[in-house]
Amino acid sequence: RGQDRDVATAIPAMLAGTVAIYMCGVTWRAYDLNIPIANGETNAIEYGLTPFLIGDVIKLLAAGLLTPLAWRGVSRFMR
């Protein structure tokens, strides 16, 4: 749909995808370990989300900034 062509739309689109992945992953982690999603000392967010946030934010920003630049390069090459 062209959302990866501009930084202003690429980052939110990639963030939406990441949130969907985290929702599925944290839910599965809670089910698999038989622990609550958010309550208690041991929870699925602690195991399935928190350790990955910093790396995923860095990857999201890098991809959100570099993908539109790559599309510009490809469009110039295809002319």
Side-chain angles (χ1 to χ4, degrees):
R1 299 189 187 246
Q3 291 178 325
D4 58 347
R5 312 289 177 155
D6 184 57
V7 173
T9 56
I11 291 176
M14 292 177 186
L15 180 61
T18 302
V19 168
I21 291 168
Y22 274 137
M23 287 175 58
C24 293
V26 167
T27 304
W28 179 255
R29 176 70 53 177
Y31 171 77
D32 190 43
L33 296 177
N34 196 24
I35 58 176
I37 291 178
N39 314 17
E41 287 186 32
T42 307
N43 60 58
I45 290 176
E46 179 184 343
Y47 290 132
L49 180 113
T50 307
F52 306 104
L53 281 178
I54 293 173
D56 280 351
V57 167
I58 292 168
K59 289 187 287 185
L60 179 89
L61 291 174
L65 294 171
L66 295 175
T67 302
L69 291 174
W71 275 115
R72 286 189 197 116
V74 168
S75 66
R76 286 183 185 149
F77 178 73
M78 299 301 278
R79 290 182 192 179

